[in-house]
Every structure is written in C-alpha cells, then in structure tokens.
Amino acid sequence: MEDNQKQKKNNSHSSLSVTLSFILAFVAIISLVSVGIGKISFAIPNEEITQFPDTITVGNVEEDPDKVVGKNYSDKQINIMKATVGGITKYVYCIESSIGITSNVEYTKNNEVEDKGLLFLSNYLLSDQYRIVDASGNEVPEKAKSWIIQSAIWIYQDAASAANSDLTTEEVAAIKKETALITRDNYLTPFFESTTPIYDSCKLEGSDLGSENTINKIVAKAINIHNGTDNWNINDIKANFENTNIIKVGDDYESSKVTVTPTTQGFLGYKIDLSTAPEGTYIVDESKNKIEQLDDITEGKQFYLRVPIKSLTDDNKDVTIQIVGAFQNDIAYKYVSTGKQSIILGGKATKHIVTGLDNTFNLRITTESTGSNFAKIFYAIGLVLLLMGVAVVYANVKTIKLPIKK
C-alpha cells in the first residue's frame, strides 16, 4: 500500500511537472511572438507622394465667376482654376499663359518640377505653411491670393523664356503696379485693393525669406535662382570630414570625424550605406562605440569611419560611402492634358536624397607605409639576432685556454 501511495505521489509530481513545462513553453512562445509583433522598426521613412493623385479634373470654367483682372492698370484676364484633387476642390495654377483653359478636363500627373526657380515659387507661394498678408498683416482674400500666385508664376515663366508664355513687357509692368482687383461678375467694386501696388504691399508671412518676403522680391529671387545669380537649395544634405587625418586603431584605420548637415528644413534623419566600402567597414560614434543601427540616424549625430586594414588591397584603397537623407518638404508636379494648359500642383512629400562624402577617404599613402613598418620590424629582429650571434662567438672565444710554454 505504501508503495502504491508513493507511486501515485510520484505520478502526481510528474504530471505537475509536465503541465508546468507546457505552461512555460506556451508563455515562451507568446513572449517570442509578442517581441516579434511589438518590435520597433528603426528606419528613415520611405518615400511617399500619395498626396499627388494620378489625375485631377478641372471644373466648368465658364460657369465659375473667379476670373480676375486689375481694375486700374492691368486688364490681362487671369482665369483662376478650381480642380478636384483627391476628392477635394481647390485652386490650381497654370504655367502656360498663352494656352486657353477648357472646362471639365482630366489632367494626368506628369513630371516632378525640376526648374529651381519655379520650384522656389511653388515651395513658398503654393504652400499651406505660409500666409499672404496685406500691408496691415491681414490675410488677403482667397481670390486675391490666387491672382497673386497665378500672375507671379506667369511673370516668372515669361522671364525664364518658358514655352507658351506670352506676357508682354507692358502687361508685366501693369500687373506689378496694380492696386485693386475685380472679378468678372462685378466690374465696378474691387474685392481687394491697396494704397500701394499689391506686389509691394503684400508679403509672405511665416517664411524664412526675411526682407525678401514681398511678392515682387519673391518673383525677382525666383528669376535670379533660374539665372544662377542667386542660390537656393532644397532637400539637400552635406557630409563632411573634419580633416584628412587618418589614424591606426588596433587592426583598423579610422577617419576624422564626419558631420552630416541638412541644408533645408523638414529633415527626418539619414541612413549610412556601406555597401560600396571594403568588407568589414563600420561606424563608431563620438565615444568610439560601434553604431549598430545605420538605417535611422538623427540630425546632429557625428561619427567616425573605420576600415579593417586586412580588407585593403592594392586595387581597393579608396573608401566611399553614401548618405541617404529623408526630407518632408514641399515639392511640385506638372499635370498635363493634350492640347491644354499644363497645371502645377504643390504639396508635401517625403523624399530621399543621396549624397557622398565631400572627399574620398583615401588610404593609399597609409597602406604603402605599412610595408616599411614591417621591414623595420624585420630589420630590428635581424639586428638583434646578429648581435646575439656575435655575443655567443665572443663568449666562446673567451673560454678557450691556450697552452703555456715552459
């Protein structure tokens, strides 16, 4: 009976152990799954331009009363276009003043705008980030804002000698000195007016343009950017070595400090691509700790480049890496329809910009001196062995006893 009770007790313990083992295994599996699901992805954002739809549709222009002209000086009719963009009706702008607008037309997304002057205009004038205000600091009416933006684009395109731009010198001058605006349905009462020219009194509020924020100066700056007499960088990064010094750290060569700097706002971080560097190349931070995560590095982070000496060969002493920066900024796309005006549409997007270092991390001189170092070592060892041999011979000579003649 005692044996039976002991056996039952042992079986009970065994069952409990098996049950606990299953429970522990289950908990372990759940933990692993949870870690996998909840794992944080460290990577710069992917490129994203979904806010630029494949098509946009312009409404019925003839039924839209938003055709604006200047009351006092300029009678160049500016058709302010409204289009359905992603289900939302908004103002859009033409870049060809000589081609008329047709109602109810579907436009297709074409190329991203690359003209830096036009991109400058769209970055500031088409952005929802800034406001166009009058001399008193009040935001101008939407139709006045659209007249300003559309006329500014046309004036710029004319100065840049863009295709299908037909503003005359007199029309440009008249637009720039206009002080009051009227619409097609009311030729008598201005819906917006100023005591001084609109182009000089209206400003872009909230921008980083400083004293160059009047409409007149913004257009002039865009023209200068196009002509190359003014600089403006958008979505760019610079990667610079502190100096050209290279030091030996253990079995590696280490560069001087590298600093990555964005040239514009909207910087989201960067990643380092070592795929073109010699095998085993890695990055260390300012504390000389290895940076394991290279896919999302924040602004202001500085690093050093390290290359294993054994990875360098006669044909591979120039080390290059790439920096991929992520930006969220205003860009623009051109929309086209056969035989119709081209439309420019601005908006925010996440884009990747790839750059290299400002100069090559060149190890040619350093690696050539390595051979002479080995030669010096072998020379020293040989010299020591030679001296040891001389010493042994000398000792043996001293121990020889010569016979004494009597």
Side-chain angles (χ1 to χ4, degrees), residues 12-22:
S12 175
H13 281 304
S14 178
S15 299
L16 180 60
S17 297
V18 171
T19 302
L20 288 174
S21 297
F22 274 112

Side-chain angles (χ1 to χ4, degrees), residues 272-279 281 294 320-322:
I272 302 172
D273 182 2
L274 300 177
S275 61
T276 58
E279 184 179 357
T281 299
L294 301 180
T320 59
I321 67 173
Q322 287 188 325

Side-chain angles (χ1 to χ4, degrees), residues 220-263:
K221 186 176 179 70
I223 294 170
N224 289 338
I225 290 169
H226 176 81
N227 294 333
T229 57
D230 203 343
N231 295 319
W232 180 69
N233 293 313
I234 183 168
N235 294 358
D236 199 7
I237 48 177
K238 302 294 182 185
N240 303 292
F241 283 117
E242 187 175 34
N243 52 57
T244 57
N245 295 341
I246 298 170
I247 63 173
K248 186 174 179 292
V249 180
D251 296 327
D252 304 320
Y253 286 118
E254 181 181 281
S255 73
S256 63
K257 188 185 299 182
V258 178
T259 302
V260 177
T261 308
T263 60

Side-chain angles (χ1 to χ4, degrees), residues 114-124 156 159-160 208-209 212 217-234:
E114 295 182 354
D115 181 335
K116 277 199 169 184
L118 186 56
L119 194 57
F120 171 82
L121 280 183
S122 70
N123 187 72
Y124 286 100
Y156 168 79
D208 56 353
L209 295 174
E212 294 184 306
K217 290 182 177 179
I218 289 173
V219 174
K221 186 176 179 70
I223 294 170
N224 289 338
I225 290 169
H226 176 81
N227 294 333
T229 57
D230 203 343
N231 295 319
W232 180 69
N233 293 313
I234 183 168

